[in-house]
Amino acid sequence: MDKWLTHNNFAKVIALFLSIILWAMVHLDSGTPVDSTKLAQPRIIDNVKIEVTGFDEDKYVLYDLEPDSVRMEVKGRRIDLTTNFSDYKVRLNLDNVGPGTFTLPLTHELPPGVQLVSMDPSIVKVTIEAKETRTLPVSIVVKGEPDDGMVAGIPIVAGDGNVDVTLPVSEVEELSKVQGVVDVSGLTDSVKGKSVKLTAYDKQGDPIENAEISPASIEVDVPINKLYKNVPLEVLHTGSLPHGYMLEGIETDVEGVALYGPKEALESITSYPVTVDLSRFDGSPDGAQFSVDLTPPEGFEKIEPGSVTITLVVKPAAEQQIEGVPVSLLNLNPLYDVKWVRPADRKLTLTLSGTLEALEKLKLEDIHLMADLSPLGVGTHTIPVEVTLPAHVKMSDPSLNLTVEVELTEKGSPTTGVPEDTPDSSTNGQHSSENEPPDSEENQDHEQEPVPDNASPSGNET
């Protein structure tokens, strides 16, 4: 150690070090210190966003905040003028301000020690409008097609299916519907509990972007089933009721059935036939009720329901004789004249059976007797009569064949009054004129009777 202290180089290093310390001390003591109190040049801060306070967003909507930012000029000490622009705030106080258009002053907040030189603008214009809430049902649109052989059912919305929609009063009248969309493309299983976002639409079908919907989404189920088709029941009957009874109607506990199967088979079917045997009726005053099992037609997979209850409405039958029922002639050739041979008065007497209620309501105009002349030429003809009766009324003797006889002659030719074939009057149980002489006074009168003007081959009644 003593050797180092006596060494020349070591002494030089020590001297240099001490010189540096002395130089620094002299310069620090004699230098000019930084003046932190000295004001800096004014600073410009652009685009300071206006903060809105005291505004009730639940009751009102704010329109037209013009402008929405300001330009500030500030001054202060260098140490206080921060470069953190979030420390410079401009506020618009809307406390206790209701609907309308207003010009309001702005307030500001600056960092400590900073002063505002100017603010442009210092006032702003605002428009405030009240809100209105309406409750609407949610409609769900099913988009796409499920997998082959499947069909989407009716969407089921959770809860009561209603939501609240809030809009400015000026826009609420345009509100039309609230809708959500569920995509079922390619699905084979039902959609359960899917959260669906809701959108409000106006009357033109455009979305209302500023609509507040509560809740904004809703849970939806969409059943995915096999293809099916609802078709009505076609009730047929066989057999006959016991003598003295009349079938007034047939009732079923369902109006139709659902058939499941391929698309081609479903398109080809329009009804499902089910047959009941009338002979199963045992005379019960309450009618007869039968359960009939239903089976899917060929080519179908399933039918619902699997059975149907059929009720026969049976009433005691009564008989009634109806006299003077007119017979209408159809399709008379306009080249011919017609003369009635039998019955001379053009009317028949019928014995009908039916329920008491049906017979009591029966009127003469409810019965229609028609004879078709379309294939006939000149001569005297025996023509079958077609009988049309109202519901729950029928001929007492269904095997009875009613006929009439007429003579057709060319226009201007005399009639003979002699039939080509003499019919058995017992075939219809009606009046017969076959034994009347052709030149009788009665026949001469009929010979001169004109044919109604509306008789024609087109099927008009005569």
Side-chain angles (χ1 to χ4, degrees):
M1 184 69 179
D2 292 340
K3 184 178 179 180
W4 282 13
L5 291 173
T6 59
H7 195 280
N8 188 41
N9 290 336
F10 179 75
K12 291 179 180 180
V13 171
I14 293 298
L16 177 62
F17 178 72
L18 292 173
S19 300
I20 293 173
I21 292 175
L22 291 172
W23 180 89
M25 292 176 64
V26 170
H27 280 75
L28 285 175
D29 289 339
S30 61
T32 303
V34 176
D35 186 2
S36 61
T37 64
K38 186 176 180 181
L39 294 176
Q41 292 293 323
R43 177 174 293 175
I44 301 299
I45 304 174
D46 289 317
N47 298 321
V48 180
K49 291 294 182 182
I50 299 174
E51 298 179 17
V52 177
T53 62
F55 182 65
D56 191 346
E57 294 183 349
D58 294 332
K59 295 173 59 178
Y60 305 111
V61 59
L62 178 63
Y63 287 120
D64 304 328
L65 177 57
E66 297 178 359
D68 61 355
S69 63
V70 301
R71 178 178 182 271
M72 300 182 74
E73 183 179 0
V74 296
K75 66 180 181 178
R77 297 181 304 175
R78 287 188 180 92
I79 195 171
D80 295 329
L81 291 175
T82 68
T83 57
N84 185 1
F85 293 156
S86 64
D87 292 336
Y88 300 86
K89 302 181 185 299
V90 176
R91 293 189 174 94
L92 172 64
N93 186 7
L94 295 180
D95 230 352
N96 301 319
V97 179
T101 299
F102 308 94
T103 300
L104 302 172
L106 297 173
T107 61
H108 61 276
E109 181 181 324
L110 303 175
V114 177
Q115 298 178 10
L116 179 67
V117 177
S118 65
M119 182 169 62
D120 185 29
S122 60
I123 59 174
V124 292
K125 180 181 177 182
V126 295
T127 298
I128 298 174
E129 187 175 349
K131 292 181 178 180
E132 184 177 329
T133 299
R134 291 194 177 179
T135 301
L136 271 73
V138 173
S139 61
I140 299 298
V141 175
V142 177
K143 174 185 174 184
E145 294 291 338
D147 196 19
D148 289 343
M150 310 297 288
V151 62
I154 298 174
I156 303 170
V157 180
D160 62 1
N162 294 324
V163 294
D164 292 333
V165 183
T166 302
L167 283 169
V169 172
S170 61
E171 299 179 32
V172 76
E173 290 301 327
E174 282 297 306
L175 179 62
S176 174
K177 61 184 177 181
V178 177
Q179 200 171 78
V181 178
V182 178
D183 191 348
V184 298
S185 299
L187 296 185
T188 57
D189 296 322
S190 297
V191 177
K192 295 184 178 179
K194 182 177 178 61
S195 180
V196 178
K197 183 180 178 182
L198 302 176
T199 303
Y201 292 88
D202 61 20
K203 294 178 180 178
Q204 288 71 44
D206 297 323
I208 304 177
E209 301 296 342
N210 63 328
E212 301 171 17
I213 305 174
S214 180
S217 61
I218 198 166
E219 290 188 355
V220 178
D221 295 344
V222 181
I224 305 294
N225 303 312
K226 291 193 174 185
L227 280 174
Y228 73 95
K229 182 178 183 181
N230 290 317
V231 296
L233 283 175
E234 181 185 5
V235 182
L236 308 174
H237 55 79
T238 61
S240 301
L241 294 172
H243 180 70
Y245 290 96
M246 191 80 179
L247 181 64
E248 188 175 66
I250 299 178
E251 299 175 354
T252 59
D253 61 341
V254 294
E255 294 183 358
V257 296
L259 293 170
Y260 295 80
K263 184 177 180 180
E264 296 76 12
L266 293 174
E267 289 177 345
S268 64
I269 194 166
T270 57
S271 64
Y272 181 85
V274 59
T275 303
V276 60
D277 187 356
L278 299 182
S279 63
R280 295 175 64 184
F281 174 66
D282 58 4
S284 169
D286 298 327
Q289 194 173 76
F290 311 103
S291 179
V292 179
D293 292 332
L294 306 181
T295 56
E298 185 176 353
F300 291 85
E301 300 176 11
K302 186 173 69 169
I303 185 172
E304 291 180 345
S307 64
V308 59
T309 299
I310 299 177
T311 302
L312 301 179
V313 182
V314 179
K315 296 292 180 65
E319 285 192 351
Q320 182 173 336
Q321 192 173 68
I322 308 295
E323 298 179 349
V325 183
V327 181
S328 299
L329 299 180
L330 301 180
N331 300 316
L332 173 63
N333 192 319
L335 300 178
Y336 298 150
D337 288 328
V338 61
K339 175 190 174 183
W340 282 82
V341 178
R342 177 180 54 85
D345 61 356
R346 309 183 183 185
K347 298 176 182 179
L348 296 178
T349 298
L350 305 180
T351 302
L352 304 177
S353 63
T355 64
L356 288 172
E357 183 180 4
L359 292 177
E360 287 175 357
K361 293 181 179 179
L362 186 63
K363 298 178 181 179
L364 195 63
E365 54 265 27
D366 297 332
I367 306 171
H368 301 283
L369 305 182
M370 292 170 286
D372 190 1
L373 304 178
S374 57
L376 306 178
V378 174
T380 303
H381 307 279
T382 300
I383 308 166
V385 175
E386 180 182 345
V387 182
T388 302
L389 299 170
H392 314 310
V393 177
K394 63 181 182 179
M395 297 286 292
S396 292
D397 184 1
S399 63
L400 181 65
N401 295 319
L402 297 179
T403 61
V404 295
E405 292 180 19
V406 297
E407 182 182 1
L408 300 180
T409 59
E410 293 182 355
K411 292 282 188 180
S413 299
T415 59
T416 64
V418 179
E420 292 181 348
D421 300 310
T422 302
D424 183 359
S425 62
S426 64
T427 60
N428 56 18
Q430 313 303 327
H431 301 293
S432 172
S433 58
E434 62 178 345
N435 295 323
E436 296 175 359
D439 293 329
S440 68
E441 186 175 352
E442 179 182 352
N443 281 349
Q444 289 176 4
D445 292 339
H446 284 301
E447 195 173 291
Q448 297 171 1
E449 190 169 298
V451 177
D453 293 336
N454 62 350
S456 69
S458 62
N460 294 331
E461 294 184 357
T462 303

